[in-house]
Amino acid sequence: GENVEQHPSTLSVQEGDSAVIKCTYSDSASNYFPWYKQELGKRPQLIIDIRSNVGEKKDQRIAVTLNKTAKHFSLHITETQPEDSAVYFCAAGEGFQKLVFGTGTRLLVSP
Amino acid sequence: GAGVSQSPSNKVTEKGKDVELRCDPISGHTALYWYRQSLGQGLEFLIYFQGNSAPDKSGLPSDRFSAERTGGSVSTLTIQRTQQEDSAVYLCASNKRTATDTQYFGPGTRLTVL
């Protein structure tokens, strides 16, 4: 079955810096790669996703890149703000197989 | 429309008691997941229901844990003979059909075992 690894487990940046979180997956059949943000005490919510037919997707300060050959994908947050502080989860899946989540990255943005 | 709902929002129980946690997925969603999240930890997969297929129970930590999904809609997670290490937030999520559809999470049930 699918296995997703996520790094780093914690990431501290200064406000305005960029943050990058990386994930690798094992199943070459996976074709969908979402990213979820979980604020303290809240439920995880989808912030961006990418499908295997594209290599990059952007939404304002957030971007995701996918390298299918290497089986890894990354979340990039530019011009970080304190409200970006949260736990971020990557995931991978395809079809009727279950979506598999990474172990999470705790991002702390200091003012 | 209505999102994923869970009840109760909080449950305090004594060690050894049984508990039932309920999840109402978004109407029409065929896929339903249960996760456990201990304080400050990640999402621990418990069980996955997909339509009428046999559920993927590979994440259930022991035989004290079981789950049902009746009529392809509401799901109940049952923990028998609760232990203190069962204390966590139990999250339910659903998506429309396949893994490529957005997964929506419920607010969770915070379980405390005394």
Side-chain angles (χ1 to χ4, degrees):
Chain A
E2 176 65 275
N3 182 53
V4 177
E5 295 190 356
Q6 183 172 347
H7 300 280
S9 57
T10 59
L11 179 59
S12 293
V13 299
Q14 292 292 122
E15 183 176 0
D17 288 350
S18 294
V20 181
I21 303 170
K22 299 181 179 180
C23 289
T24 60
Y25 61 100
S26 61
D27 189 349
S28 57
S30 288
N31 59 12
Y32 176 65
F33 308 93
W35 286 87
Y36 282 77
K37 176 183 181 182
Q38 186 178 28
E39 297 178 358
L40 190 63
K42 302 283 184 65
R43 72 190 81 181
Q45 291 196 304
L46 179 74
I47 55 170
I48 194 167
D49 57 15
I50 191 168
R51 299 174 192 271
S52 60
N53 57 344
V54 297
E56 183 176 4
K57 184 176 179 180
K58 283 185 179 180
D59 183 3
Q60 299 182 27
R61 298 185 296 108
I62 293 174
V64 57
T65 58
L66 171 65
N67 183 327
K68 284 200 68 182
T69 303
K71 289 191 282 189
H72 66 70
F73 56 111
S74 300
L75 178 71
H76 304 253
I77 306 175
T78 58
E79 300 172 25
T80 53
Q81 302 169 3
E83 52 265 37
D84 294 329
S85 296
V87 178
Y88 292 81
F89 294 97
C90 64
E94 63 91 16
F96 292 102
Q97 301 303 310
K98 67 176 182 283
L99 193 66
V100 177
F101 282 86
T103 50
T105 296
R106 185 175 302 278
L107 174 64
L108 176 62
V109 181
S110 302
Chain B
V4 179
S5 61
Q6 294 185 244
S7 60
S9 55
N10 278 284
K11 177 71 176 179
V12 179
T13 191
E14 293 179 346
K15 178 182 172 181
K17 301 279 191 183
D18 297 352
V19 295
E20 285 190 351
L21 312 180
R22 177 185 169 109
C23 172
D24 284 85
I26 293 173
S27 178
H29 280 199
T30 65
L32 186 149
Y33 298 76
W34 282 98
Y35 300 94
R36 180 169 69 176
Q37 190 170 39
S38 300
L39 189 63
Q41 302 300 307
L43 299 167
E44 179 187 1
F45 165 76
L46 297 178
I47 189 167
Y48 166 51
F49 294 91
Q50 174 53 268
N52 295 320
S53 302
D56 179 343
K57 304 180 182 180
S58 60
L60 294 178
S62 77
D63 59 7
R64 296 187 296 105
F65 289 72
S66 63
E68 289 186 341
R69 188 176 185 193
T70 54
S73 181
V74 172
S75 178
T76 302
L77 177 69
T78 301
I79 309 173
Q80 296 180 310
R81 305 181 302 281
T82 52
Q83 304 294 313
Q84 287 185 332
E85 59 262 29
D86 299 334
S87 297
V89 174
Y90 289 81
L91 289 163
C92 174
S94 72
N95 60 321
K96 191 171 185 179
R97 193 160 170 264
T98 71
T100 59
D101 297 314
T102 301
Q103 187 167 129
Y104 295 91
F105 284 82
T109 293
R110 182 175 298 278
L111 175 66
T112 303
V113 182
L114 302 176

